[in-house]
């Protein structure tokens, strides 16, 4: 009978689901139909308010009520306070968690979300004392305290900094794997050339900047797109803007008259192709996007970050010499035009460093470790 793996995730941003899909895909590569994977948005379907609305509250919280978000992250990083919160969540959410445990028996549970490592672990351990539980950290350099539950059977760290934090949080070294951040294998496989990818996407054959804002289309994408489009048009480049689930932004951008070649898309399912078509990525400092861009050898200009959760990602990119942070649309446009100028040596050097920093097969490494838990 096929082994059953249940991924605990939630659609706060696009990265957690993308990583869960990457792991499911890697398990399928290793085991074919002998392993069946399911994704459960635990907060939406089994949480009580306000957690049940986390997906809907996430964007307004991190964009418009940043003080509240900072407060939440700050509190979650206080050890005693977090213990108290985790204990009350366990009591407060217990009805939904019991229901989830009853409806999803499995051979392995894998959490890819910071809020799903304590109360769900407790509910599952009570009902299925012998079923392993793994945490795969899908934040990059700044992974807040709620990620670390010393009792899990395996914790996969996205980078060495997170590995050190896991050990400080009390996880035994034998249960901590430096697995990297899991991304879809299409970012690792032999990709189309930029010319092939541009043809497939009906883009023009010109130097291309890809403007992103994570799964939710976050950050000042509108003013950045306007300045970038004008500067790129004057230098023979083109711009592709992917708005993710931000439909309001997509429809505003799609109605605009642009000075040059500008392509506006909503949520796309073929990000590996868009990255293959690009020469550089301008993005929010989302961990998934950074890992994917590095795997494609693309330098990054980071236009924004979610405080607390993504601030370390900015340092991560800058320390590796694969990009810069810049939140001024004029300066972003100036940088992009400069990097895309023919024969720019700085761009080539960053592309080479990006390939060195990348871990394109992280999903396979982690899937192998998960397979050991499956027996
Ligand atoms: N993504 C996608 N299609 C889109 C926009 C984003 O597949 O239209 C994916 C992107 O490739 C990445 C994830 O969504 O895997 C975004 O994750 P990230 O950690 O960068 O940011 P988040 O959305 O979680 O804040």
């Amino acid at each position: 009978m096929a082994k059953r793996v249940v991924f605990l995730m939630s659609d706060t941003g696009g990265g957690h689901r993308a990583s869960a899909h990457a792991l499911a895909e890697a398990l399928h590569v290793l085991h074919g139909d002998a392993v069946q994977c399911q994704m459960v948005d635990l907060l939406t379907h089994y949480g009580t308010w306000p957690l049940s609305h986390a997906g809907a509250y996430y964007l307004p919280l991190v964009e418009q009520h940043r003080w509240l978000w900072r407060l939440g992250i700050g509190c979650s990083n206080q050890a005693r306070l977090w213990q108290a919160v985790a204990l009350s969540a366990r009591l407060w959410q217990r009805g939904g968690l019991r229901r989830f445990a009853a409806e999803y028996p499995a051979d392995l549970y894998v959490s890819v979300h910071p809020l799903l490592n304590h109360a769900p672990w407790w509910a599952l351990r009570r009902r299925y004392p012998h079923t392993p539980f793994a945490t795969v950290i899908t934040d990059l350099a700044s992974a807040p305290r709620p990620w670390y539950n010393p009792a899990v059977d395996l914790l996969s760290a996205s980078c060495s900094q997170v590995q050190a934090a896991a050990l400080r949080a009390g996880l035994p070294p034998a249960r901590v794997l430096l697995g990297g951040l899991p991304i879809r294998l299409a970012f690792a496989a032999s990709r189309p050339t930029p010319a092939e990818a541009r043809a497939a996407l009906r883009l023009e054959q010109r130097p291309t900047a890809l403007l992103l804002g994570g799964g939710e289309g976050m950050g000042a994408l509108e003013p950045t797109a306007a300045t970038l489009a004008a500067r790129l048009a004057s230098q023979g480049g083109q711009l592709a803007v992917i708005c993710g689930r931000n439909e309001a932004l997509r429809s505003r951008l799609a109605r605009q008259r642009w000075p040059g070649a500008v392509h506006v898309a909503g949520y796309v399912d073929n990000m590996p192709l868009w990255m293959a078509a690009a020469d550089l990525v301008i993005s929010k400092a989302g961990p998934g996007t950074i890992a994917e861009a590095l795997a494609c050898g693309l330098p990054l200009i980071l236009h924004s970050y979610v405080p607390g959760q993504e601030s370390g990602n900015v340092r991560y990119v800058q320390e590796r010499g694969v990009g810069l942070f810049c939140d001024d649309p004029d300066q972003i446009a100036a940088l992009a035009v400069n990097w895309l100028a023919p024969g720019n040596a700085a761009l080539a050097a960053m592309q080479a460093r990006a390939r060195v920093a990348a871990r394109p097969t992280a999903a396979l490494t982690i899937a192998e470790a998960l397979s050991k838990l499956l027996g």
Side-chain angles (χ1 to χ4, degrees), residues 12-16 18-19 58 138 181 183-184 187 212-218 242-245 265-272 275 283-290 292 306 310:
T12 49
H16 307 299
S19 285
Y58 180 68
T138 56
L181 196 127
I183 56 174
R184 280 165 283 172
F187 289 101
L212 305 171
E216 310 288 345
M218 286 162 63
I242 296 184
C243 306
R245 283 189 283 265
Y267 193 90
V268 301
D269 286 324
N270 54 352
M271 191 62 86
M275 287 206 182
S283 175
K284 175 180 85 76
T289 303
I290 291 173
E292 292 162 0
V306 175
E310 293 179 348

Side-chain angles (χ1 to χ4, degrees), residues 18-371:
S19 285
H21 275 295
L23 292 171
E25 180 192 27
L27 283 167
H28 185 72
V29 167
L30 294 178
H31 305 290
D33 292 338
V35 172
Q36 301 283 327
C37 296
Q38 281 179 294
M39 318 274 149
V40 184
D41 185 335
L42 207 66
L43 295 183
T44 304
H45 299 301
Y46 295 93
T48 43
W49 187 88
L51 292 179
S52 53
H53 288 65
Y57 293 160
Y58 180 68
L59 188 57
L61 198 57
V62 297
E63 291 228 299
Q64 290 148 31
H65 306 287
R66 285 205 156 191
W67 66 272
L68 194 56
W69 175 263
R70 278 182 218 269
L71 185 71
I73 291 274
C75 290
S76 76
N77 277 325
Q78 302 294 322
R80 280 170 194 258
L81 198 52
W82 169 247
Q83 272 168 6
V85 171
L87 179 63
S88 25
R90 190 197 279 189
L91 299 171
W92 179 26
Q93 307 283 330
R94 66 181 183 276
L97 290 171
R98 278 200 203 120
R99 198 157 48 83
F100 161 67
E103 289 173 15
Y104 284 92
D107 298 292
L108 170 65
Y109 295 98
V110 183
S111 159
V112 292
H113 195 282
L115 295 182
L116 300 175
N117 304 293
H118 292 263
W121 169 85
W122 169 81
L124 292 166
R125 193 46 49 107
R126 279 190 64 150
R127 188 169 179 120
Y128 309 112
H130 304 297
T131 306
F133 185 108
T135 295
V136 177
I137 296 195
T138 56
D139 276 332
L140 203 50
S142 355
R145 182 171 284 271
W147 275 111
Y148 309 109
N149 176 355
V152 298
D153 300 282
L154 173 77
L155 180 140
S156 170
S158 50
C159 64
S160 52
Q161 241 168 297
V162 167
Q163 181 188 32
L167 298 177
R168 280 198 304 277
L171 274 116
R175 286 200 229 141
V176 178
L177 167 79
L178 180 53
L181 196 127
I183 56 174
R184 280 165 283 172
L185 295 172
F187 289 101
S190 63
R191 286 184 305 277
T193 62
E196 288 165 352
R198 286 170 196 158
L201 292 167
R202 297 169 192 272
L203 305 183
E204 295 182 24
Q205 297 294 348
R206 299 163 180 239
T208 304
L210 183 61
L211 177 59
L212 305 171
E216 310 288 345
M218 286 162 63
L221 295 186
E222 217 163 342
T224 307
T227 1
L228 264 170
R231 291 293 298 268
L232 287 170
S234 67
Q235 304 290 320
Q238 72 184 327
L239 175 66
V241 192
I242 296 184
C243 306
R245 283 189 283 265
N246 193 337
E247 181 49 31
L249 174 72
R250 190 208 61 78
S251 77
R252 279 200 306 278
L253 293 185
R255 282 198 303 270
Q256 278 191 36
R257 292 170 71 84
W258 297 98
V262 175
H263 308 266
V264 177
Y267 193 90
V268 301
D269 286 324
N270 54 352
M271 191 62 86
L273 192 59
W274 285 94
M275 287 206 182
D279 297 289
L280 73 92
V281 167
I282 302 160
S283 175
K284 175 180 85 76
T289 303
I290 291 173
E292 292 162 0
L294 296 184
C296 297
L298 294 175
L300 291 134
I301 300 174
L302 302 174
H303 59 69
S304 60
Y305 59 88
V306 175
Q309 214 179 342
E310 293 179 348
S311 31
N313 300 352
V314 173
R315 282 193 301 279
Y316 183 93
V317 163
Q318 293 187 336
E319 281 167 12
R320 280 159 185 76
V322 293
L324 292 174
F325 175 79
C326 178
D327 58 2
D328 176 67
D330 285 324
Q331 284 179 22
I332 293 174
L335 267 176
V337 163
N338 179 272
W339 287 4
L340 291 179
N344 185 304
L347 183 82
M350 280 188 287
Q351 287 173 334
R353 287 194 291 266
R355 287 192 196 95
V356 172
R359 298 179 77 112
T361 54
L364 277 176
T365 308
I366 301 166
E368 277 161 11
L370 296 177
S371 306

